[in-house]
Every structure is written in C-alpha cells, then in structure tokens.
C-alpha cells in the first residue's frame, strides 16, 4: 500500500497561533493586502522590506495561494510522475528497466501531494512569511472593502493608506449542457481525486490541462482531447509537430476545430458529444477535465466602483493602480498572463509605488513553458514570426536539417536518446541574419526551463551569434544552443544548421 | 534479456567512403589539424566557415574525439541511469513506484552505450562534419610533424601555412604498486566492462570519477573512496556537506587524507591498501577505478622543439599559438581546464587567428559541474571566498536559514521532495552586500545546469539583486534564485535568507 493513502481531501492545516498577528484598529497601515497568495505574499514582504507597515487578510488556511494548493505544485508533481512512468514504459526491455503495470493508480499520487502540502509546504509558507519576511497576517479571514481606505473583517474595520487586492482567479466553467455532472473536473478537483479514471476527455488545451492530459495518458487512461481551435497554436510549427506527434505516439487522440454540444450522463458523466466537420461524434468517458481557462475574482472590488474589464479583470495601469489610485490590484485578479512571475512582480511593483518609489514593471520578453511528458519551453519569436517580421530567418536546430537522427542530449534525456533516439527531444534557435541577433529559442525535452529565464534576458540585451559562441557550455547541456551556434558563427553570411 | 547485449567492445564503425576526402599534396592548406576531437572538429569547421582551407587527420575511426568515445557521453548516460535507480530505490513503497533489485547489472548499460555510439553518434559526427560543416578529413590516419609547415601521413607529406595540434589527453596512471592488475580500470576501460563489479574502490575524486562513484553505488556495489586530500574541496562548504552527507546516506564510504600503499592481488585486483592516520587499512575489492586525472598527449610536438610544460602540456599563448607561432595547440593537449567549452573555443580562437582575425579567448567566469546522484553546479565564489575577498557575504538559500525543511522544487526533484524532502536538493546564491552584486551561485539537484551557462555571463555583467528581482522566473524552477532574491530586494541593507 502506498504511504499517505487516504490523506484527508480538505486541508486540516492551521497555522500555529504565534505565527499570526492581530490587526490593529488604531494603525493606519501603509497597505492592507486582501489575499496572501503569490502576489499578496510577495507584495506584503516587499513592502515590509522597504520599511512599510502592512496587514494581510487571507481567506484560506495558508499563504502562498492557489499555486501550492492546487495549481503549479501538483501540476509539476503530476508531470514529474508522468515522465517517470513514460520513461519506464519506453525503457522496459532495455538494460535494467522494470515493466510497470498498464494502469497506474492516480489517487495515491494526489494523496501524497496533499499530505506534503498540508504539512511541509503550508508550514514553510507560514514560517518563512512570519519569521524571515516579517509579514503580519491572519488566515480564515474574509475581507470586505468599505471604501478606498477601509476594510471590514469579521465585523471590525481597519484602515490603510492603500488597499491592495490580490484575490486571484478561479477556473472558468464553460456553458455546456451537463457541465455540472459528477466527474466533470477542473484542476482544483483533481487534487482531491477519489476514484480512478479510465477514459478521460479533456475539453480545452491550456498550459495546465496540457500537462494533465499527458499525465492521464502516462497513468494508462484512454485520453481524448476536444478543442474548439487548433491546439498549441502558440508553438513554433516544428516544435508543435514534435509535441503533437509524440502525444499521438503515446495514444492520445486529438479532435481540433470542434463544437462541443453536450456532456452526457445521468448523475456521472458518460460521454462528450461534439460536432466535427459537420458530423456528430460521441466519445464515451468516465471523466472530463475542463481546461477552459480562468476568470479573475474581481467581485470584491465591484462595490468600490473601480473599472472592471470585459473578462472580469480589474483594470490597472503599469503601476498596478486601479481607477482609484490608492487601490491596487495585483496577480491574477488583474487578468492575463496568469503566471507566477507576473503575479509576484506585480506585488513588488505595487509595494514600491505605495512606498513612494514610482516604478513600472520592466518590459521584458517573457519566457513560457508547458508540459506534455516533455518539458516544452520557448521565448521570443517562432520561425514563421521571424520571417513575417524580418523577411528572413536562420535556424539552428537539433536534430539538424537533413540529419534526422536523435542524439544523446543531457540529463534526463540520455536514456531515451539511447533507446528511442527519435523521441529524445527537439530544439531550435531563430536568428535574424542581418543583425546576427537571436530572436527566439524553443526547446522540447528536459532540463532547459531554468535556462530560458536567462536566455529571455539575454535576448532582450541583443544577444548575437558572435557573442553566444564565446559562452561556456556545460556539455552535455539540455539545450545545445551555445555549441551549435559556434559551428555557424564563423560564417559571414549565416546559414541554417 | 537486455537489448544490445554483447555489443562488440571495440567500435566497428567505419565512415562511408564518400564522407572522406583525399588530402591534396599540391595544396598548401591554411591549416592542417592533427586530431578531429572536440577542439579539432570545432576548429576545422570554424576555419571552413571563415573561408579557409583545412585538412584534418584523425587517428581513430570517428570525429568528435574522446567525448563521445568514452568521456562525457557515457558519463552522462551512467549518471542518468544512476539517478533513475536512485529515485526508484528511494521512491519504492510510495505511490506506484516499483521495487528494483538490490544489484543492477552494469554491463548491459555500457553495451547499450556502445551500440548507440557506434551507430548513431559516430554517424552523426561524420555526416554533420562533412555535409553541414564542409570539413575535409580522413580517419585511421596517424600524422607525424616534419616541420612547422609539413605533416607526414602514411608516407606522404602534406603542407600547410599552419599546423594545429589537437591530440587530447589520456588518463594519468598513478605510480602505485599493482596498478596494472586486472580490473584496475580507468573511465576508458569502464565503457568496455565485461564483468559485474561487486566491491569497488575509487582512487581519486575528480569530476569524472565522482560521477562513476555514485553510479557504482546506485547499481548496488559496495563503494569506497580513497583520496589523498579532502574530496570536493572546490565546493562551497554547505554544498559540500549536502553532497557528502547524501553520498554517505547511500552507503558510500569515504577515506580522505590517506597515502595509498598498494593495489593488492594476483592477476586480478583483490584489495587496496592505504595508510590512514598512521594506521594501515586494507579494503577488499574486485574492482578499482582510477580517478587520478589526465595527462596531455603532447609527444607528437616534441620533435618540433615547442615548449612543453611541467605536466606534459604544450605551452600556448592566449591565441593558442605554441612557441612556434604557426603551430597551434588546442584542447586538452594544452593542459587544464580539460572541459569541452574550452576545447571547442580554443579551436575557434585558433581558426580566427590563422585567418588573420587577431583574437584571444574571452576572459569569462567559467561555470562548472560534477555528478553524484545529484547534478552539482556552481559558478563564481563560495561564501567563504566572498568573505575573504570582500569582508562580508549575504546568502540566499533553499532550504532557507533555520527552516530546515525540504521543499518541492521542480522537474525531477518533485517526487523526492514529496517522499524524502530533506533529500531534494540545496541551493545558494552569494551576494557582496555593498555593491548588491552576485558573486556566486551554487546548486545541488537537477535541471539547473543549462541555466548556469547564462548565470555565469550575467555574473560577469555585474548582475545585482535589484536586477535579478525583475527577471521572469519559470516557476517551479530548478533553481529559485530569481524569486528568492525578490523576497530580499526591497531591503536597503540586505540580509540573508
């Protein structure tokens, strides 16, 4: 039996009393933060670091928000398990690798996630926020905004020079008949899974549901994607081809450009019905995962009369001020891109402005990633976008042009490269040949994600072929951009590799 | 039975005839390269890209040198297998993870390596060098230098304006009685392994033997390190503590500060005898791995009278010219650091100088790595070095000070972080507090190696706490430097985290 089996589905964590602070009715805080998630926690601690006074009201039982509760952390945990399963499935029969069962139980995976979350992770959030960052906060506290300087919590009123709203976002539930049937899940339900799905339909392919799609498949489920438009249209065409062909190779079925008619079932979901090329298709299933985006939790701000955008987001300027200048909105509640770095930075920027340091978020190119059973990471332009913008593109690829042979790459792809070389990954750098500057990097594989954080910055600094050729690669590296570039940097007129 | 079992121990690869070019006796080449390894191959192709004429004589059956034959590639392959074993051992009993046998056969692992090397990898080297890079080369050709413009191969003489020596290095065999016994191996012998070691003594702990030490242990061998000095003394103290305590946790025994007296045995090795704290210790074993460094293959240059250094290296200036200006020495033959990036760049720099573009290798801080069953990566100063140099150091760590609790980190550490959080990794950034500049980064875990290639460059560009806080992290990232820094960047007087 798996350890941690049957860990409670709802978190029982309660921060120790000495971690919490009572808010002071006589203090006029520099800022009251509503919500202690990624944005609120970073904003609160940044404001403290700047010497400001702050109080944070969190409605849930922990700081750190949705990320550690049911978003990033379980997604990464599921991904990591999925890669391990995927590798064992493809490695079996080679060397020492064992066979694993066709069907892997998922419930113990989420039990294990919740166990660690409810003990280690939430405790870490409390201890670091209090002990190291000096934040003052309470949990289980729903706040109501009375006016731009007053917040009401449990019948008491508290005052601040500024109010910072960081109430996040929630899954967008599409308007499809049957969407409320049992076993129609969002990623929030998934972490509380109490049965073993067998046949899964995933509606929508955002970055989160993409990861879970491959996770279900790795666990041995029969998985079908249905999507209104072309999936992963944000990827470079060749990257997309590699990603999708490898999902199909693993048995995932994909229906694009469909109109979803109904989620069918009595009590529990039994099938998804959609129209594809004028034909009605019914895919039987016992589980539906909704990957249909998120919607900001802006309701709290409505009584104030701040401007709300068409997608329920609080409208902010580049300082994260709402239409009422001393009311800020940070993190997912102000709309896309719904990523951790933007949420945390918005907290930092708001804190700086509140403390009198006028600042806007720096205009940096943002790296992005998604999971299948590969890590897919990209920044900047695709090849097609480069050609559209500059009329030309030089491309450096691995495997290279006309050498369609997998290669040993680096950590975590070495075994795949040796037993199924054609499946070990794909990488591509895009160069604008006249300036010799890189305009995009793309990677499918493992272990390159952290590098893209810095490649993004170097891209903005105008990284050229000639400069990259002088960097020190740590061979074998997850992405071969440095050394591949060096093979071309001698050319006066760059050609693709 | 494992696929590829019993693949020939000596490579049978022969490049197809049309990949090879006949050298021309009537041509005066811009350069003749002796050796088509990492340095020679990059140098040759860079010179071609610059428009030069070149011919490369390779003594072995393939281009790409020792790296793909028996160095970097099998080391990474062994490491990747070792992590997979290590993880399965620690994950067993949790969730879906299977038990694996206590002892894992190693021979099929190296059989698999050689199979792929002899088919895919060598073929790739040939095809890319010829088809994409336009190199002219022959294999199986031993060259002799007649004078600074003449090389003799198979009785014929060829002329060039420059000769570039890239003959690499070989394992240094220490002067210990019994070192020639059977089953006393270097990493070169290991890739041809034809029996299953049970009890292994590793003499010396360079970066290569460190990786194999943990590999043997992961395979279930009883492993003992004996080393003259303190091992891994180049690591930051806390990083070193994490690394060594985790090797011990996995059963590796470590003897430091010893004098090795004898490798004992009749025909095959049976024990290693050394003196430790004035006491003679005998460790029985069936295998010894020598990790006692390398020595440059400079013999070819001696008849020319070029300057040779005390460790058998060819002495070069910053343009990689020897004491005879039109004779260059690139890669391992010119001595440390014996890493791929330096070898390849030396080829590039030599090519540029030969083609009239006066250049020296850029003075960049070099990132470094080694393997245990973790990836250990570092760049710049340790905490102690920072204090010695600047009188002070601020440190940002994960797990943080006084919060000694593992944390979910990122790809490939998520499962470990959930089942043995104290073993999921360690990371540390070092800041000089007055300038607020980073001076060092250190990481133990997985997936951060590629990032260090760029962190090294940003370090040299003067990366500050305030700048890093504005980067976009791809959370959950293998190293948390961006977001952890953001938690402190608000402070006027930085404090550690």
């Amino acid at each position: 039996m798996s350890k941690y089996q049957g860990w409670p589905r709802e978190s029982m964590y309660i921060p120790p009393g000495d971690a919490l602070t009572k808010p002071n009715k006589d203090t006029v805080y520099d800022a009251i933060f509503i919500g202690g998630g990624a944005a609120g926690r970073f904003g609160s601690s940044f404001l403290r670091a700047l010497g400001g006074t702050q109080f944070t009201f969190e409605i849930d039982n922990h700081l750190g928000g949705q990320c550690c509760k049911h978003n990033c952390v379980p997604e990464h945990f599921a991904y990591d398990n999925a890669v391990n399963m995927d590798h064992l499935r493809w490695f079996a029969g080679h060397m020492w690798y064992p066979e694993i069962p066709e069907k892997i139980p998922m419930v113990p995976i989420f039990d294990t996630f919740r166990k660690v979350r409810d003990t280690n992770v939430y405790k870490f959030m409390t201890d670091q926020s209090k002990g190291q960052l000096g934040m003052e906060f309470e949990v289980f506290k729903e706040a109501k905004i009375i006016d731009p300087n007053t917040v009401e919590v449990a019948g008491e009123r508290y005052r601040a020079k500024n109010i910072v709203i960081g109430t996040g976002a929630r899954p967008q539930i599409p308007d499809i008949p049957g969407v409320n049937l049992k076993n129609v899940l969002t990623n929030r339900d998934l972490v509380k899974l109490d049965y073993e799905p067998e046949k899964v339909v995933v509606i929508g392919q955002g970055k989160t549901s993409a990861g879970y799609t491959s996770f279900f498949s790795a666990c041995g489920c029969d998985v079908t994607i249905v999507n209104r438009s072309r999936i992963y249209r944000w990827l470079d065409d060749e990257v997309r081809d590699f990603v999708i062909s490898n999902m199909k190779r693993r048995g995932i079925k994909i229906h694009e450009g469909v109109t979803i008619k109904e989620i069918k079932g009595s009590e529990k979901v039994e099938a998804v019905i959609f129209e594809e090329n004028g034909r009605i298709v019914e895919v039987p299933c016992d589980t539906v995962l909704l990957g249909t985006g998120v919607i900001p939790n802006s309701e709290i701000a409505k009584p104030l009369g701040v401007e709300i955008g068409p997608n329920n987001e609080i409208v902010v300027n580049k300082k994260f001020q709402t239409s009422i200048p001393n009311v800020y909105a940070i993190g997912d509640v102000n709309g896309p891109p719904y990523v951790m770095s933007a949420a945390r930075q918005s907290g930092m920027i708001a804190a700086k402005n509140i403390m009198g340091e006028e600042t806007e978020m720096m205009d940096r190119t943002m790296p992005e990633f998604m999971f299948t059973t590969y890590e897919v990471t990209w920044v900047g332009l695709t090849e097609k976008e480069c050609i559209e913008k500059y009329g030309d593109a030089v491309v450096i690829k691995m495997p290279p042009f006309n050498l369609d042979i997998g290669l040993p790459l680096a950590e975590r792809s070495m075994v795949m490269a040796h037993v199924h070389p054609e499946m070990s990954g794909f990488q591509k750098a895009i160069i604008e040949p006249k300036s010799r500057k890189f305009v995009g990097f793309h990677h499918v594989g493992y272990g390159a994600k952290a590098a893209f954080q810095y490649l993004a910055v170097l891209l903005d600094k105008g990284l050229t072929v000639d400069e990259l050729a002088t960097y020190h690669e740590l061979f074998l590296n997850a992405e071969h951009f440095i050394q591949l570039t060096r093979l071309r940097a001698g050319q006066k007129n760059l050609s693709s590799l």
Side-chain angles (χ1 to χ4, degrees), chain A residues 23-307:
Chain A
N24 191 328
K25 284 194 291 180
D26 302 324
T27 301
V28 179
Y29 291 99
D30 287 312
I32 287 177
F33 286 77
I34 301 178
R41 182 170 172 267
F42 269 70
S44 299
S45 53
F46 208 96
L47 192 134
R48 281 276 158 197
L50 289 171
T53 56
Q54 140 285 343
F55 202 91
T56 301
F57 293 105
E58 168 56 45
I59 197 169
D60 208 340
N61 66 339
H62 68 281
L63 298 180
Q66 312 304 328
C67 166
C68 48
K69 184 175 186 181
H70 40 218
N71 288 357
C72 334
V73 178
E75 284 163 35
H76 281 70
F77 186 55
Y79 164 77
D80 225 15
N81 275 290
V83 177
N84 288 343
M85 291 172 208
D86 183 61
H87 282 188
L88 290 180
R89 293 192 193 287
W90 290 102
F91 301 169
H94 288 273
M95 302 177 279
W96 59 276
Y97 287 91
E99 300 269 351
I100 57 168
E102 227 174 277
K103 190 74 174 60
I104 302 274
M106 280 176 257
V107 170
I109 293 174
F110 291 110
D111 286 352
T112 301
F113 158 70
R114 292 195 313 279
K115 190 271 172 188
V116 174
R117 178 194 69 181
D118 294 350
T119 51
N120 277 17
V121 179
Y122 286 172
K123 175 175 160 32
F124 178 86
M125 285 293 161
T126 301
D127 291 358
Q128 186 182 60
S129 301
K130 173 73 180 175
Q132 293 197 305
L133 306 176
M135 266 179 71
E136 298 193 0
F137 62 95
E138 282 197 308
V139 294
F140 298 122
K141 290 293 182 290
E142 182 164 6
K144 199 171 120 186
I145 302 176
I146 302 300
D147 65 45
N149 295 100
T150 313
V151 161
E152 188 178 290
V153 177
E156 299 282 358
R157 295 197 172 186
Y158 302 98
R159 286 175 308 147
K161 294 178 195 156
N162 302 274
I163 292 176
V164 186
I165 302 169
T167 45
R170 60 186 180 273
Q172 172 84 269
I173 307 299
D175 186 20
I176 303 171
V179 79
N180 293 318
L181 283 168
K182 213 175 162 205
N183 298 351
V184 177
L185 312 175
T186 68
N187 66 316
R188 297 193 174 193
D189 306 312
L190 207 50
V191 302
K192 298 188 270 186
L193 194 74
D194 60 4
Y195 69 101
E196 292 298 340
E198 304 271 346
K199 289 177 80 67
V200 183
V201 171
V202 184
I203 298 179
Q205 280 289 295
K207 291 172 198 166
T208 297
S209 54
Y212 281 125
T213 301
S214 283
F215 170 72
F216 284 127
S217 170
C219 290
C221 295
D222 178 31
V223 183
T224 304
I225 292 171
V226 297
N227 203 59
R228 274 184 298 193
S229 54
R230 207 164 157 257
I231 64 170
Y232 314 152
R233 58 197 177 282
W234 49 79
L235 295 180
D236 176 271
D237 286 341
E238 282 182 304
V239 170
R240 186 176 178 276
D241 285 350
F242 184 90
V243 166
I244 290 182
S245 66
N246 272 287
M247 289 169 68
K248 289 182 176 168
R249 199 198 294 260
R250 286 158 173 91
I252 296 171
K253 283 154 278 182
I254 302 174
H255 298 269
E256 300 174 307
V258 308
T259 308
I260 297 159
K261 294 292 185 189
E262 188 190 345
I263 301 175
K264 201 175 108 177
S266 59
E267 197 204 352
K268 289 183 190 174
V269 59
E270 287 162 23
V272 172
I273 300 173
F274 54 89
E275 190 182 320
E276 184 176 35
N277 302 324
R279 208 168 52 91
I280 295 293
V281 181
E282 178 169 334
V283 177
C285 62
D286 55 54
T287 300
V288 167
L289 178 69
L290 296 174
T292 41
V294 299
I295 178 168
N297 295 322
S298 61
E299 289 74 12
I300 191 172
K302 283 178 185 163
L304 265 182
V306 301
E307 189 185 347

Side-chain angles (χ1 to χ4, degrees), chain A residues 10 66 92 131 158 171 187 218 256 261 266 286 294 305 316 359 409 414 422 434 453 492 496:
Chain A
E10 300 303 330
Q66 312 304 328
Y158 302 98
N187 66 316
E256 300 174 307
K261 294 292 185 189
S266 59
D286 55 54
V294 299
V316 291
T359 323
L409 296 165
M414 292 303 294
E422 72 287 2
K434 272 189 228 74
Q453 304 175 139
K492 205 173 150 193
S496 291

Side-chain angles (χ1 to χ4, degrees), chain A residues 315-496:
Chain A
V315 176
V316 291
N317 64 17
K318 289 186 171 179
K319 297 175 184 169
F320 297 97
Q321 291 169 304
T322 67
S323 54
I324 301 174
N326 72 322
V327 177
Y328 290 76
I330 60 175
D332 290 355
V333 76
N334 66 33
Y338 304 123
V339 298
M340 288 291 281
S341 73
R344 289 163 166 169
Q345 287 204 44
S346 68
M348 170 175 81
I349 304 295
K352 285 187 176 185
N353 284 294
I354 287 169
M355 295 306 292
E357 193 182 318
E358 281 206 38
T359 323
E360 296 182 355
M361 173 110 69
M362 284 193 69
D363 190 21
R364 295 192 184 281
T365 300
M366 204 177 277
E368 298 185 68
F369 76 98
M370 57 177 267
F371 291 140
T372 61
T373 46
Y374 299 90
E375 177 195 283
V376 185
T377 320
W378 66 98
V379 63
L381 304 185
T382 64
E383 182 178 358
K384 195 189 277 177
E385 288 166 347
C386 180
I387 292 170
E388 277 166 17
K389 186 163 177 184
Y390 297 106
D392 199 3
V394 161
V395 164
I396 286 178
K397 296 199 294 191
M398 179 61 75
F401 281 102
N402 303 324
L403 284 171
D404 207 3
I405 182 175
L407 255 198
L409 296 165
E411 293 82 358
R412 213 179 200 183
S413 65
M414 292 303 294
V415 180
M416 188 63 96
H418 277 74
V419 304
H420 295 287
E422 72 287 2
M423 292 167 67
S424 78
F426 179 75
Q427 45 192 265
K428 186 170 174 179
I430 319 288
I431 300 155
E432 192 286 293
K434 272 189 228 74
S435 64
R436 301 172 74 85
K437 282 183 184 165
F438 288 95
V439 296
F441 293 101
H442 306 267
H443 187 271
V444 189
Y446 316 94
K449 201 172 109 187
F452 272 70
Q453 304 175 139
Y454 308 110
L455 277 169
V457 173
L458 293 163
L459 208 64
D460 285 344
K461 288 184 192 276
L463 181 65
T464 63
V465 164
D466 308 287
E467 184 184 345
L468 191 62
T470 68
Y471 287 10
H472 286 293
E473 67 270 28
L474 287 173
F475 193 70
L476 276 67
N477 34 9
E479 39 77 7
H480 296 359
F481 297 134
I482 298 174
Q483 64 264 31
L484 292 180
T485 296
R486 195 177 296 129
L487 289 174
R488 279 297 185 240
Q491 293 182 328
K492 205 173 150 193
N493 295 310
L494 292 172
S495 64
S496 291

